[in-house]
Amino acid sequence: MKFKNIYQLLLFFFLPFSSLFAQNNFDQKVPLDPRVKVGKLENGLTYYIQQNPKPENKVELRLAVNAGSILEDDDQLGLAHFTEHMAFNGTKNFEKNELVSYLQSIGIQFGGDLNAYTGFDETVYILPIPSDDEETLRNGFLVLSDWAGGILMNEEDIDSERSIIVEEWRTGQGYTQRMRDQYFPVIFHESRYAERLPIGKMEIVQNFEYETIRRFYRDWYRPDNMAVVAVGDVAPEKLEALILEYFGKLENPADPKERKLFEVPEHKETFVSIVTDKEAPGIQIQLFYKHKALPTQTKEDYRNFLLRTFYGGMLTQRLDEIRQKPDAPFIFAGTGYGNFVRDLDYFSASGVVATGKIEAGIQSLIVENERVAQFGFTQAELDRVKRAVLNNAERSFKEMDKAESRSIVNRYVNHFLEGGFADGEAWKYEFYKEIIPNISLEEINALAKQLVRDENRVIVITAPDSEMENLPSEEAVLALFDAVDQMKIEPYQEKLFADKLIQNLPQPGKIKESKHVASIDIHEILLSNGVKVFVKSTDFKNDEILFSATGKGGVSLYGEEDHYTANYAGVLINVMGIGDFSPSDLRKVLAGKTVSVTPNIGLYSQNIAGSFSPKEMETAMQLIHLNFTAPRKDQELFEVYITNQKTQLASAQANPDYQFSKQVNKILADGHPRAAGIFDPEDLDKIDLDRGLEMYAERFSNAANFEFFFTGNIDLETFKPLLEQYIGSLPSNPDSLDTYRDLGIRTPNDRSESIHVGTDEKSQVIMLFTGETDYDRKKAADLIYLGEILTIKLIESLREQIGGVYGVGANGSMGIFPVGNFSFSIGFPCSPDMVDNLIEAAWAEVRKIQENGPTDEDLNKVKEKRRISLEENLKRNNYWLGQLSAVRTFNLSWEALLDGQKAIESMTKERIQKAAQEFLTKENLLEIKKFPEVK
């Protein structure tokens, strides 16, 4: 066998290059992932099946219906979406509310796990189902088959759902919707898409005849127009048998309607849409170059898509460099290639600009593409994007045996609905390795003329009403293209930068102590500089390591005179960079490397966190070291950042969401001057750069203040020397540790506040219960369970019975900073005239639990959900990272991490009832109500 391999290798090297390249016939179809089985039943229903072991005992089910709002008749606008809602309101085998209740009983959360969505061209139902129980698995397919052909559409259920749809519509109202409604008809010029938004028209939703929605369901929910996708921890032959059993008997109508495809007509002229709104938070410019959708069939199609990805990525990097310069024409900008609807792709260049810079911003976007057209990209730019794209493909390949089913299932949904690529990670990686080295600058540069063209072009400008006098005319916007044609443009200049993060390595420390905690398989390591490191090596992911490090102190250690500077001290480092590298330089150096390290300074602590690939372990350690020891000062980047922040804050003043958040923050802190609220533009003038750098250095000057946590695919023998080199060498003084200072910020109680902002007829309610209490791990769990149970009851009452909300939720927690405390919130959006009634309805549900406790049924629903979550989380790195940190934060024993299942089993109705009685009192309540501004 060895001789045979050597012979094959020699033969490979002697083959001419042309014959090797010829093996990759770009006319060939891109293959489906070989792990998936695709079939079609006799009735025309398509199915996709893939066995996947993660997470264990779960199957991700999808019902993909090739029908959305684009197929609605004129009297059905909004009924594709309404049909989706009706799937949860009574089917052949599940009465109204019985379906959701049953799925909750097997650990599936409504809205979180169980969900659906309606688009222009499709409706997709989402059902993750436990597979360790035969009856449960079969019921999952029963539910899916009911959606496909057994939705009852009872008149009473239709009528009760109308108000819920209206509330969903209400949550989407605002400046974004108002401006979108004006420029969408321009983008989708003379097409059906311009008048078929999925949410529909409320006059139809509230008044349609019952037969109208039934007609839509009959016409389009038929087996030859649907697909079932099943990905999970079950043998394919079993899944196939279940699909045949539950969907094989579905019938198509005798005279099925044609499922037409709808085009967006092309246009020679350039359309300009200038839209303003009183509540718009800033000025945005968008240039859309529309194209007929790229085919997604062959290797050549795949390669063409990849070229466009490269182009957009490289041009965005150039725009990012421009935005960091003084007097830049835009605050943010980017480009990309994407898809609007099935028939329509686009290349876009967009940006956010300051007052008076609309024309300069648009011209800059045009100029940068013209710069590429004339001079092209540089080889260094192409090499960087090649490394980044190839690295992403390699990561996916490495993780293919650890990928969770929910990350796989949508590729097959997309393949059925839009014919998208559904290749596997192994094929993609091999394909990328073969084609990416051969992608040339010439073919990338040629895209400048293909993507950016004179016809089929739309420019959209959105701005607040206050900017109306500063807005250019359509003629002035169009003249910018001619002006650029007359400009003398210089080639892009590639900046040189160091190729090493650290030129001179620090003197390493030593591992002073190392202890293995066998019960949970972690290693406690004490370094010679006093830094404590906790490491849990796992095999949950092949190419993932997560880390965090936290120290006490934060902003709290500084006086009121330093308030604004202290709150921005951590941000400034992310703005200015580390060592010899600006953020832009650092992105170039790290291109093709999977590594992220971000520092932050909060109110009572400072931390640094991130993730990296095992092969970038040393790079990550160097970045951590530099973030501690070498914050970079850059006066120019600082000034650009402050100017842009002030511009954005000034623009946001008219936005009701901003104003609401600002007032809520002030109320929550009871007006305390040291709270980390939302600042006014003039407050940023109080930020002192040198003082901010001094504060940052102080917060990160003593590494012994921090405890480090690492989880993931860590080889300890490789990791330990790097710990010594880069963490053990950090400056520290274990005999002088900081703690935080209680600033006295407390949320007020027994108070009701009303905030009047915005013009839309919509309200929001926040019921927040807070107070001081000693931290108790069991009581913390009680509050979490209380939140989840109360959410179930609030959905049943406020949504299903009253029809007054689209979404509602409750959650509770306990903390220890700055003192022991609890927090429990109930929140929902609604109509202004329903605020008081719904608050009382929420109180009624609270009182039921206080007086009677939760029902066994509801408690068991939450227990089952948490049992399944625990099983899955125990095999996730991010869960363990949080748990390791929690043990140290709350001074728990490591063995406490083994009590998860026991804690679930030991939860009682009495504990939850007691928590409701103790914490959910009017004396602990802060009630915040949002209303439209008084006219």
Side-chain angles (χ1 to χ4, degrees):
M1 185 63 71
K2 290 182 180 178
F3 288 106
K4 181 179 179 182
N5 286 341
I6 291 172
Y7 171 77
Q8 290 174 336
L9 186 63
L10 289 171
L11 182 63
F12 175 86
F13 280 116
F14 281 103
L15 282 171
F17 177 78
S18 59
S19 68
L20 286 175
F21 190 77
Q23 291 175 4
N24 201 340
N25 183 348
F26 285 96
D27 291 333
Q28 290 179 345
K29 277 197 168 188
V30 173
L32 285 173
D33 190 320
R35 298 170 297 176
V36 68
K37 179 171 186 179
V38 183
K40 185 171 286 192
L41 301 181
E42 290 184 4
N43 58 14
L45 182 133
T46 303
Y47 61 86
Y48 299 77
I49 297 168
Q50 180 177 326
Q51 186 170 13
N52 188 67
K54 289 182 68 82
E56 295 177 8
N57 302 321
K58 178 175 276 190
V59 175
E60 291 286 345
L61 295 178
R62 301 292 186 270
L63 176 68
V65 185
N66 188 24
S69 58
I70 198 69
L71 297 177
E72 294 167 342
D73 296 333
D74 289 342
D75 62 346
Q76 293 176 324
L77 301 187
L79 300 196
H81 174 240
F82 206 122
T83 299
E84 171 216 311
H85 275 241
M86 292 308 298
F88 302 92
N89 281 278
T91 64
K92 179 180 177 181
N93 291 286
F94 297 91
E95 295 181 2
K96 177 179 170 65
N97 297 329
E98 183 185 351
L99 171 60
V100 172
S101 181
Y102 167 71
L103 292 172
Q104 287 172 336
S105 74
I106 58 174
I108 298 172
Q109 182 182 5
F110 180 55
D113 305 314
L114 173 69
N115 216 324
Y117 66 88
T118 302
F120 283 116
D121 281 289
E122 75 284 332
T123 306
V124 178
Y125 296 87
I126 301 166
L127 179 60
I129 200 82
S131 60
D132 53 347
D133 178 79
E134 177 72 18
E135 182 182 0
T136 299
L137 179 62
R138 296 183 69 85
N139 280 338
F141 281 89
L142 181 63
V143 170
L144 224 63
S145 67
D146 268 11
W147 289 339
I151 301 177
L152 296 180
M153 299 286 187
N154 289 331
E155 296 178 1
E156 181 181 349
D157 298 333
I158 290 173
D159 288 338
S160 66
E161 196 67 21
R162 294 181 197 266
S163 62
I164 296 173
I165 298 282
V166 170
E167 290 309 312
E168 182 177 358
W169 166 84
R170 191 187 309 280
T171 63
Q173 297 302 288
Y175 71 91
T176 301
Q177 159 265 322
R178 289 191 293 271
M179 293 193 293
R180 180 199 64 204
D181 287 353
Q182 294 184 61
Y183 66 72
F184 255 36
V186 180
I187 292 175
F188 296 118
H189 175 65
E190 293 186 351
S191 81
R192 190 177 175 94
Y193 288 101
E195 55 193 32
R196 287 294 190 278
L197 287 173
I199 195 65
K201 296 184 179 296
M202 290 307 102
E203 56 267 30
I204 291 178
V205 166
Q206 291 175 301
N207 299 294
F208 68 84
E209 298 291 334
Y210 305 120
E211 186 58 27
T212 309
I213 190 171
R214 292 168 183 156
R215 184 177 79 242
F216 183 89
Y217 186 60
R218 284 196 305 269
D219 285 343
W220 304 116
Y221 279 61
R222 59 188 202 231
D224 65 355
N225 200 45
M226 295 189 290
V228 172
V229 183
V231 179
D233 191 23
V234 174
E237 56 272 15
K238 182 172 183 177
L239 293 174
E240 187 174 33
L242 288 169
I243 291 172
L244 178 60
E245 178 182 350
Y246 284 96
F247 295 88
K249 296 178 182 178
L250 295 178
E251 296 180 356
N252 293 299
D255 186 21
K257 292 184 70 171
E258 179 188 358
R259 198 325 185 173
K260 295 180 180 178
L261 299 179
F262 296 89
E263 293 187 346
V264 178
E266 294 190 327
H267 47 88
K268 291 291 185 182
E269 62 270 60
T270 296
F271 295 141
V272 179
S273 179
I274 302 174
V275 181
T276 67
D277 191 273
K278 174 184 176 182
E279 298 174 353
I283 308 170
Q284 187 171 2
I285 54 176
Q286 300 175 86
L287 280 65
F288 293 109
Y289 301 90
K290 299 188 293 183
H291 300 264
K292 286 298 178 182
L294 280 175
T296 53
Q297 296 293 320
T298 68
K299 293 179 179 180
E300 184 66 28
D301 298 337
Y302 208 132
R303 193 174 187 276
N304 286 336
F305 175 76
L306 203 56
L307 294 179
R308 285 154 175 76
T309 301
F310 281 17
Y311 187 97
M314 288 189 283
L315 190 50
T316 294
Q317 177 62 43
R318 286 191 179 183
L319 296 175
D320 189 63
E321 291 176 16
I322 292 172
R323 77 166 179 85
Q324 298 176 61
K325 296 177 181 178
D327 201 34
F330 41 73
I331 299 171
F332 300 106
T335 63
Y337 192 87
N339 174 262
F340 269 130
V341 292
R342 290 186 183 178
D343 178 60
L344 186 63
D345 284 353
Y346 64 87
F347 175 74
S348 69
S350 59
V352 174
V353 301
T355 298
K357 291 192 175 182
I358 293 176
E359 290 168 278
I362 293 174
Q363 182 167 285
S364 179
L365 295 178
I366 301 170
V367 164
E368 289 312 309
N369 195 81
E370 183 60 28
R371 196 186 311 278
V372 176
Q374 292 186 24
F375 304 105
F377 291 105
T378 67
Q379 189 63 46
E381 289 176 294
L382 179 57
D383 289 343
R384 283 194 294 270
V385 76
K386 282 183 176 183
R387 290 197 300 270
V389 172
L390 194 56
N391 177 65
N392 287 337
E394 181 183 12
R395 286 200 75 207
S396 296
F397 170 67
K398 287 181 177 179
E399 299 289 13
M400 63 183 293
D401 65 321
K402 303 293 176 70
E404 296 197 2
S405 297
R406 63 184 177 184
S407 69
I408 298 171
V409 65
N410 286 334
R411 71 176 64 156
Y412 304 126
V413 171
N414 185 56
H415 183 268
F416 170 73
L417 293 171
E418 301 187 22
F421 299 118
D423 48 296
E425 293 83 354
W427 183 89
K428 176 185 288 186
Y429 184 42
E430 290 302 317
F431 183 62
Y432 278 23
K433 285 194 296 182
E434 183 168 358
I435 69 165
I436 285 178
N438 298 314
I439 291 175
S440 68
L441 267 177
E442 289 73 22
E443 57 186 327
I444 295 290
N445 296 338
L447 285 175
K449 294 298 185 183
Q450 296 177 35
L451 296 179
V452 178
R453 51 188 186 163
D454 295 339
E455 67 271 14
N456 228 27
R457 184 169 60 188
V458 177
I459 295 96
V460 176
I461 301 170
T462 58
D465 286 348
S466 59
E467 290 290 330
M468 290 184 71
E469 293 183 2
N470 301 317
L471 295 176
S473 65
E474 291 188 19
E475 293 74 18
V477 171
L478 293 173
L480 294 172
F481 292 92
D482 294 330
V484 171
D485 289 339
Q486 307 304 314
M487 291 176 62
K488 178 176 173 56
I489 299 174
E490 298 295 327
Y492 170 79
Q493 297 297 318
E494 178 79 21
K495 177 183 174 183
L496 298 177
F497 47 83
D499 58 353
K500 290 184 179 180
L501 291 174
I502 298 179
Q503 299 297 326
N504 299 307
L505 296 182
Q507 185 66 33
K510 294 292 182 182
I511 291 178
K512 189 174 179 180
E513 297 177 14
S514 183
K515 174 186 174 184
H516 181 229
V517 183
S519 59
I520 58 167
D521 193 22
I522 68 160
H523 291 265
E524 295 183 9
I525 298 172
L526 177 64
L527 297 171
S528 54
N529 59 353
V531 174
K532 294 178 181 177
V533 182
F534 304 90
V535 182
K536 182 170 179 61
S537 183
T538 73
D539 61 359
F540 308 146
K541 290 280 189 180
N542 298 319
D543 201 43
E544 178 182 85
I545 299 174
L546 309 180
F547 84 94
S548 68
T550 302
K552 295 177 181 178
V555 172
S556 72
L557 298 184
Y558 300 97
E560 192 169 337
E561 69 280 4
D562 285 324
H563 175 61
Y564 298 103
T565 300
N567 273 282
Y568 273 84
V571 177
L572 295 181
I573 306 310
N574 295 313
V575 168
M576 297 187 297
I578 53 175
D580 298 325
F581 302 94
S582 70
S584 181
D585 294 339
L586 199 58
R587 280 191 286 273
K588 292 179 180 180
V589 172
L590 299 177
K593 298 178 184 290
T594 302
V595 58
S596 171
V597 176
T598 304
N600 182 56
I601 300 177
L603 193 57
Y604 292 111
S605 65
Q606 56 279 343
N607 77 293
I608 185 166
S611 62
F612 52 95
S613 167
K615 71 177 182 179
E616 303 301 342
M617 194 178 286
E618 183 162 15
T619 302
M621 291 299 182
Q622 290 181 344
L623 290 171
I624 293 170
H625 188 93
L626 288 172
N627 273 281
F628 269 87
T629 62
R632 179 175 179 270
K633 180 179 178 180
D634 191 315
Q635 186 73 36
E636 187 174 281
L637 284 178
F638 168 73
E639 291 175 359
V640 168
Y641 172 74
I642 294 299
T643 299
N644 288 342
Q645 284 291 105
K646 290 170 67 176
T647 298
Q648 290 183 285
L649 286 171
S651 298
Q653 299 299 316
N655 179 250
D657 296 329
Y658 170 86
Q659 287 295 338
F660 179 65
S661 297
K662 183 178 178 181
Q663 292 187 52
V664 166
N665 279 4
K666 187 174 181 180
I667 292 169
L668 293 178
D670 204 14
H672 198 291
R674 295 302 311 280
I678 300 175
F679 299 141
D680 291 319
E682 59 270 20
D683 293 331
L684 273 59
D685 292 327
K686 301 170 187 175
I687 298 173
D688 184 296
L689 174 57
D690 290 327
R691 179 61 176 142
L693 285 168
E694 183 182 342
M695 291 175 177
Y696 181 90
E698 289 173 355
R699 292 298 85 235
F700 288 85
S701 64
N702 185 359
N705 270 325
F706 292 77
E707 291 188 336
F708 286 76
F709 304 92
F710 294 86
T711 65
N713 187 10
I714 302 168
D715 177 69
L716 278 172
E717 297 312 306
T718 303
F719 188 57
K720 286 180 178 179
L722 297 175
L723 276 180
E724 293 177 321
Q725 179 75 70
Y726 297 108
I727 308 300
S729 60
L730 291 173
S732 67
N733 182 0
D735 297 324
S736 179
L737 303 181
D738 288 335
T739 187
Y740 56 87
R741 182 167 63 94
D742 184 357
L743 296 177
I745 301 170
R746 301 291 188 273
T747 300
N749 304 121
D750 197 15
R751 184 188 298 185
S752 181
E753 298 276 357
S754 294
I755 300 172
H756 294 264
V757 291
T759 58
D760 294 291
E761 284 296 307
K762 60 181 184 181
S763 285
Q764 187 170 338
V765 173
I766 301 172
M767 299 170 66
L768 181 63
F769 303 85
T770 62
E772 295 183 15
T773 188
D774 292 335
Y775 179 81
D776 181 286
R777 192 172 175 226
K778 282 190 173 182
K779 286 187 176 182
D782 298 343
L783 281 175
I784 292 171
Y785 273 75
L786 175 59
E788 295 191 16
I789 288 173
L790 190 54
T791 295
I792 293 172
K793 306 317 291 183
L794 292 172
I795 290 173
E796 290 176 1
S797 174
L798 276 64
R799 175 177 164 131
E800 300 302 331
Q801 294 174 16
I802 300 174
V805 302
Y806 171 62
V808 59
N811 64 81
S813 64
M814 276 192 175
I816 61 172
F817 297 111
V819 296
N821 64 84
F822 73 90
S823 176
F824 190 96
S825 66
I826 299 170
F828 52 87
C830 64
S831 170
D833 60 1
M834 288 293 289
V835 167
D836 291 336
N837 289 340
L838 292 171
I839 288 175
E840 179 52 39
W843 267 115
E845 295 304 320
V846 170
R847 285 192 291 268
K848 289 177 186 177
I849 296 176
Q850 289 173 332
E851 294 168 3
N852 306 308
T855 65
D856 288 323
E857 181 183 8
D858 289 334
L859 177 56
N860 288 333
K861 287 177 182 178
V862 175
K863 281 187 173 184
E864 183 62 12
K865 170 183 172 290
R866 300 197 70 80
R867 182 191 67 79
I868 292 172
S869 295
L870 178 64
E871 285 183 359
E872 296 177 2
N873 283 332
L874 285 172
K875 296 182 180 180
R876 290 174 177 150
N877 290 319
N878 58 352
Y879 171 80
W880 279 102
L881 187 69
Q883 291 298 298
L884 297 181
S885 178
V887 164
R888 301 294 295 177
T889 298
F890 295 107
N891 196 27
L892 306 173
S893 69
W894 292 122
E895 284 65 32
L897 298 182
L898 302 174
D899 294 341
Q901 185 59 43
K902 182 180 177 181
I904 293 171
E905 294 170 355
S906 63
M907 181 57 68
T908 66
K909 296 186 297 180
E910 289 74 22
R911 282 172 54 183
I912 296 167
Q913 180 180 10
K914 185 176 180 182
Q917 293 169 344
E918 180 178 355
F919 298 113
L920 305 193
T921 67
K922 293 209 172 184
E923 293 74 21
N924 292 332
L925 175 65
L926 168 63
E927 186 179 83
I928 301 175
K929 297 178 286 188
K930 173 188 172 186
F931 293 100
E933 61 191 17
V934 179
K935 297 178 182 179

